[in-house]
Amino acid sequence: MSTNYYAFGPFLSGDPNGEGLHIGQTAAGWRFLFRAHNSLGLTTLPGWEHFLRAADVTIRNEYGRDVTADEMIETMKETANGKGFPLRERFRHDDEHRYVTSGGHAFCRTEFF
């Protein structure tokens, strides 16, 4: 099972009546997969952290549950599941649509669900 997360606020693609700006996705057994938004400078974990902590940003998962910035950032940084087992990496090699930062965080430049 996977869960997608979205940001809402006064920024491009942050329409509160629409889907929002895709942050990324959790999936059982896998590390968080980030959605890169080059035009907004959201291409690293620190960039996303700064963006999500803005006072005018609301975070919501695809099931309509609001998530705090602290909860979201904790989820993005998780490397083990609730029982202490390591989460698998999404991918290891860069290509035209995806890359891994020096901190080991996987990003996708194109939309995914």
Side-chain angles (χ1 to χ4, degrees):
M1 181 171 168
S2 65
T3 303
N4 288 281
Y5 295 86
Y6 300 89
F8 299 89
F11 46 84
L12 183 65
S13 299
D15 177 9
N17 299 315
E19 188 173 77
L21 183 71
H22 193 196
I23 299 168
Q25 179 190 76
T26 57
W30 297 92
R31 289 188 183 184
F32 191 82
L33 177 59
F34 292 82
R35 173 64 165 90
H37 296 278
N38 292 357
S39 62
L40 297 173
L42 300 172
T43 58
T44 63
L45 172 62
W48 267 113
E49 283 186 73
H50 178 75
F51 180 83
L52 295 174
R53 291 192 186 282
D56 54 359
V57 172
T58 300
I59 304 164
R60 189 172 305 126
N61 71 20
E62 66 183 295
Y63 306 108
R65 179 183 170 270
D66 285 349
V67 179
T68 67
D70 287 341
E71 280 180 291
M72 186 74 252
I73 292 164
E74 183 178 320
T75 297
M76 295 159 96
K77 291 180 175 182
E78 286 177 345
T79 58
N81 69 13
K83 297 180 182 182
F85 294 105
L87 296 175
R88 294 176 297 224
E89 296 175 8
R90 292 289 186 124
F91 43 80
R92 296 184 184 171
H93 304 291
D94 294 354
D95 67 23
E96 127 183 47
H97 299 294
R98 55 190 189 176
Y99 62 96
V100 179
T101 66
S102 61
H105 303 286
F107 280 79
C108 185
R109 291 183 180 98
T110 60
E111 191 58 65
F112 58 89
F113 303 98

